[in-house]
Amino acid sequence: MPLSRFTVLDLTRVRSGPLAVRQLADWGANVIKIEPPEAIDGSKGMGGERDGSDFQNTHRNKRGITLNLKVPEGRELFYSLVAKADVVAENYRPDVKQRLGIDYVNLKGINKRIVLASISGFGQSGPYARRPGFDQIAQGMGGLMSVTGLPGQGPIRAGIPVADLSAGLYAAIGILIALLERENSGEGQWVHTSLLEAQIAMMDFQATRWLIDKDRPGQAGNNHPTSIPTGLFRANDGMLNLAGGGETMWRRICEALELGDVLSRSDFSTEGLRSQNRDSLNAILQERFITNSVGYWVERLNAAGVPCGPVYGVDDMFADQHVAALDMRLPVDHTRLGKLDLLRSPVSMSRGKRQARATPERGQHTDEVLNEFGFTAEKIAALRAQDVV
């Protein structure tokens, strides 16, 4: 498999870190998920119930071992794994890695080729570095909540954990860059990002509107902040999503909706004027859309080359014939939970094959993995007796 030559030691929890590692695991990396032994930590841990859909989707394609990093014997065992690994991934608060002795300086002394990937709430330095991080806090501080929702409604959280997910994706990209660079230098390096940095980066054009133009973006609801007409309209059986910015799209919309008189109006003659008069323009379009069904308008507008589509709930989404053709499900067989449908990676390759293995039980592969790293059955038994593994 594409990444099968790489071994990743996964110390991550909750979402951002596990998501980063999962990008590698899906494409065959030898990911070893490390958790504390149940004897010293019987809690469900962070990240939700182990049998829950979220946990099962997030930690797939990994092998699981238990290891107590809080005792010297556990750290020494971990160092022996580091000596043969390629990547260590963690998302503790910055000071925790120093307390556990798994900071980059220590790991580099064991294996100069190791890549340490760290995700935190606010970065590895700065006034807020030691604050606990959470997705919704990053959404608020990173500007996303200020541009989400209806005008005047007040800040609104996005419906998915944007900061967590984007931090995980950026970390995965950073890991791959470091592994590629290592082919030239022969050395690993420390890769780090944070929920706040990732959220700010995801603000993209909204952020640069301020940086370059000093234009402070606000809430635009379902209207696009700069592309008109783009937004939601009610058909006679549901909601229609329309994206029609630019002169060409504007002409196509008017022709498809048979609104030639609107096309010739001076108050809609430029995109700037359409933006300025968006309320009256949207009212005209709404009056036309309500006369027929979502399916009718989707077919008619797409035939005219105008991007549009229905607004789905998750159940409707998976029932769509095109989503079914894309085959976004990842079926796995769990030893205890049976057959599960997870979400596959959205990346496809002409030769690369994805992995499809269920999330491991806690410590399911401890003996198997330690044996691969040179530990005898007697040594593993002794470590287990000491609650090290």
Side-chain angles (χ1 to χ4, degrees):
M1 297 185 70
L3 300 179
S4 59
R5 66 187 184 276
F6 299 114
T7 293
V8 181
L9 305 180
D10 179 13
L11 297 170
T12 65
R13 307 164 299 162
V14 193
R15 186 178 313 282
S16 61
L19 178 88
V21 174
R22 196 185 77 198
Q23 308 311 306
L24 313 179
D26 280 355
W27 296 98
N30 175 27
V31 174
I32 301 167
K33 175 174 170 53
I34 300 173
E35 300 177 85
E38 195 159 9
I40 66 165
D41 182 3
S43 67
K44 70 177 184 180
M46 302 176 72
E49 295 288 347
R50 186 173 214 98
D51 290 354
S53 57
D54 191 11
F55 193 97
Q56 289 298 315
N57 187 59
T58 301
H59 294 283
R60 68 192 188 213
N61 290 328
K62 305 174 182 180
R63 291 190 293 170
I65 72 170
T66 52
L67 179 58
N68 184 3
L69 285 172
K70 295 182 179 180
V71 297
E73 297 85 354
R75 287 193 291 276
E76 288 303 317
L77 193 158
F78 179 71
Y79 294 154
S80 68
L81 303 183
V82 170
K84 298 181 179 180
D86 298 284
V87 178
V88 172
E90 59 88 18
N91 60 338
Y92 300 118
R93 279 188 292 184
D95 56 314
V96 173
K97 70 174 71 62
Q98 273 77 29
R99 291 207 310 267
L100 292 176
I102 58 171
D103 55 280
Y104 181 63
V105 172
N106 273 344
L107 300 188
K108 182 181 179 182
I110 298 163
N111 178 359
K112 74 172 188 175
R113 292 175 57 81
I114 201 72
V115 173
L116 173 63
S118 298
I119 303 176
S120 60
F122 296 93
Q124 298 296 315
S125 60
Y128 306 154
R130 293 196 176 190
R131 287 186 181 181
F134 192 78
D135 174 84
Q136 185 159 332
I137 308 305
Q139 284 195 32
M141 294 179 68
L144 179 61
M145 291 173 67
S146 73
V147 298
T148 303
L150 298 172
Q153 187 178 32
I156 296 292
R157 178 182 68 87
I160 60 169
V162 177
D164 274 342
L165 298 176
S166 55
L169 292 173
Y170 281 125
I173 293 169
I175 291 168
L176 294 173
I177 292 170
L179 291 173
L180 285 170
E181 192 278 338
R182 192 180 70 174
E183 294 179 2
N184 291 329
S185 68
E187 292 190 18
Q189 56 186 301
W190 186 19
V191 175
H192 52 87
T193 189
S194 68
L195 304 191
L196 183 58
E197 289 169 278
Q199 181 60 82
I200 292 170
M202 288 295 285
M203 290 297 288
D204 200 66
F205 79 97
Q206 295 280 46
T208 52
R209 285 174 68 184
W210 169 255
L211 289 175
I212 294 175
D213 303 322
K214 293 299 178 282
D215 178 11
R216 186 180 190 270
Q219 294 166 303
N222 291 313
N223 292 315
H224 192 279
T226 59
S227 178
I228 313 298
T230 296
L232 285 187
F233 297 89
R234 185 172 295 281
N236 64 18
D237 64 346
M239 299 302 294
L240 174 76
N241 221 347
L242 175 71
E247 295 302 324
T248 299
M249 288 299 167
W250 170 237
R251 291 183 174 278
R252 290 176 181 176
I253 290 169
C254 288
E255 290 167 4
L257 272 60
E258 299 177 348
L259 294 173
D261 56 328
V262 175
L263 183 61
S264 63
R265 283 178 53 164
S266 60
D267 52 343
F268 300 146
S269 61
T270 67
E271 189 155 32
L273 288 170
R274 290 193 293 276
S275 179
Q276 182 179 329
N277 300 303
R278 81 163 68 202
D279 290 342
S280 58
L281 173 56
N282 284 347
I284 293 169
L285 297 179
Q286 178 58 75
E287 187 177 354
R288 181 56 57 94
F289 284 129
I290 199 66
T291 64
N292 221 312
S293 67
V294 172
Y296 173 84
W297 292 119
V298 166
E299 183 174 351
R300 188 175 181 89
L301 287 164
N302 274 289
V306 177
C308 68
V311 179
Y312 284 153
V314 174
D315 52 345
D316 303 315
M317 175 188 73
F318 281 113
D320 185 280
Q321 61 178 351
H322 187 75
V323 174
L326 290 174
D327 193 19
M328 287 299 296
R329 300 170 190 255
L330 180 73
V332 298
D333 289 313
H334 193 281
T335 54
R336 186 169 47 79
L337 301 176
K339 294 185 180 299
L340 302 174
D341 274 344
L342 308 177
L343 276 175
R344 74 161 174 84
S345 166
V347 176
S348 297
M349 298 186 182
S350 60
R351 291 187 296 107
K353 185 176 67 172
R354 300 183 196 92
Q355 193 162 224
R357 189 162 57 188
T359 290
E361 302 283 27
R362 188 199 297 243
Q364 179 179 339
H365 303 99
T366 300
D367 289 18
E368 175 185 310
V369 169
L370 294 184
N371 183 257
E372 291 173 6
F373 278 81
F375 288 81
T376 64
E378 292 76 18
K379 178 62 175 175
I380 296 170
L383 290 168
R384 198 179 296 280
Q386 296 173 281
D387 290 333
V388 175
V389 300

